[in-house]
């Protein structure tokens, strides 16, 4: 029996797809660190000399993330936790970021009224598009199962559809047989010249 099941949901698929990139990354950003699960995954996977920024608008999320890093023995990794709104904090990070992760929605076991805001999310993604390195990835998990989440997911999809395919590969993943409205994963990768010129399309 195969002992792994990353196709469970958008977050597990996001981690599976991010892992090989995180292993080579120099600069990573978790835009919504919440309870710290994504931050801990990135910190565990990235090289020892990489820098990981972890942002959240709620002080309790920053506390929980710091605690999780300690509990998981990741205190030696260079993780810079910052409390504030991610579009402002991301503006201060240098360009050529290898990985940016958005896990939208509200903090589980927190105040569900504090939900990521559609306009701010799009603003932050636009900043991310300008800062992401060639071949770098932006992973966005959206939660259309609530009214605010559905609105945000729709706006996100509409925006991503306008981005020129010459500049970014953009795709999505979502379960098709779930009775409720499951989370959707959007995967954005910045294209670069090397991609077309040096990588063979077919290998014999
Ligand atoms: C689904 S939770 C994130 C889960 C988290 N990544 C984890 O692994 O536990 C969404 C988070 O987004 C945060 N958030 C909402 N608006 C934000 C903003 N403008 N800037 C930064 N964080 C924000 C919330 O406080 C909440 O903690």
């Amino acid at each position: 029996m195969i002992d792994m099941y990353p196709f469970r949901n958008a977050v597990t698929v996001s981690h599976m797809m991010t892992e090989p990139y995180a292993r080579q990354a120099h600069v990573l950003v978790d835009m919504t660190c919440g309870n710290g699960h994504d931050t801990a995954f990135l910190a565990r996977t990235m090289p020892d000399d990489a820098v990981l920024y972890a942002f959240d608008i709620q002080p309790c999320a920053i506390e929980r993330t710091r605690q999780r890093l300690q509990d998981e023995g990741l205190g030696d990794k260079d993780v810079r936790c910052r409390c504030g709104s991610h579009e402002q904090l991301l503006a201060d990070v240098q360009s050529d970021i290898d990985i940016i992760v958005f896990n939208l929605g509200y903090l589980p076991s927190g105040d569900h009224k504090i939900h990521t805001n559609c306009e701010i999310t799009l603003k932050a993604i636009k900043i991310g598009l300008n800062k992401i390195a060639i071949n770098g990835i932006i992973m966005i998990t959206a939660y259309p199962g609530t009214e605010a989440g559905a609105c945000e997911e729709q706006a996100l999809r509409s925006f991503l559809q306008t981005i020129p395919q010459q500049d970014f590969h953009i795709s999505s993943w979502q379960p098709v047989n779930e009775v409720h409205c499951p989370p959707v994963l959007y995967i954005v990768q910045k294209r670069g010249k090397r991609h077309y010129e040096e990588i063979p399309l077919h290998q014999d």
Side-chain angles (χ1 to χ4, degrees), residues 30-39 55-58 61 84-87 103-108 114-117 120 143:
D30 183 350
M31 297 290 281
T32 54
C33 61
N35 287 323
H37 295 285
D38 296 313
T39 304
F55 302 151
D56 204 287
I57 203 160
Q58 300 189 66
S85 195
H86 44 213
E87 85 288 6
N103 192 342
L104 302 175
Y106 54 77
L107 182 63
I114 306 178
H115 193 288
T116 45
N117 172 287
I120 290 176
Y143 294 81

Side-chain angles (χ1 to χ4, degrees), residues 20-174:
Y21 292 87
R23 291 202 181 284
Q24 296 183 32
H26 302 288
V27 183
L28 310 86
V29 183
D30 183 350
M31 297 290 281
T32 54
C33 61
N35 287 323
H37 295 285
D38 296 313
T39 304
F41 158 72
L42 294 170
R44 203 182 306 123
T45 313
M46 71 190 197
D48 286 344
D49 59 353
V51 180
L52 168 58
Y53 295 88
F55 302 151
D56 204 287
I57 203 160
Q58 300 189 66
C60 68
I62 297 296
E63 268 320 298
R64 290 182 195 181
T65 297
R66 286 200 173 117
Q67 189 61 51
R68 185 172 300 281
L69 291 167
Q70 285 305 321
D71 293 349
E72 296 198 14
L74 295 164
D76 289 347
K77 295 290 185 125
D78 189 353
V79 184
R80 303 177 188 182
C81 297
R82 305 271 187 272
C83 190
S85 195
H86 44 213
E87 85 288 6
Q88 292 170 9
L89 294 168
L90 186 62
D92 290 338
V93 178
Q94 76 271 26
S95 292
D96 286 344
I97 302 168
D98 299 298
I99 296 174
I100 301 176
V101 175
F102 288 83
N103 192 342
L104 302 175
Y106 54 77
L107 182 63
S109 66
D111 182 349
H112 291 195
K113 291 195 290 300
I114 306 178
H115 193 288
T116 45
N117 172 287
C118 185
E119 278 176 30
I120 290 176
T121 299
L122 293 190
K123 199 170 170 187
I125 289 171
K126 286 176 194 168
I127 296 169
L129 291 172
N130 283 312
K131 286 183 179 267
I132 197 81
I134 287 174
N135 297 333
I137 54 171
I138 304 178
M139 305 300 263
I140 310 160
T141 300
Y143 294 81
T146 63
E147 199 180 326
C151 217
E152 185 173 44
E153 196 271 322
Q154 192 49 56
L156 179 60
R157 173 174 279 270
S158 302
F159 169 65
L160 293 176
Q161 285 171 336
T162 67
I163 297 177
Q165 68 181 67
Q166 295 89 335
D167 299 330
F168 292 90
H169 296 296
I170 305 185
S171 53
S172 63
W173 180 90
Q174 186 180 35

Side-chain angles (χ1 to χ4, degrees), residues 176-188:
V176 296
N177 64 340
E178 289 194 16
V179 287
H180 298 299
C181 203
V184 191
L185 172 66
Y186 289 99
I187 305 129
V188 178

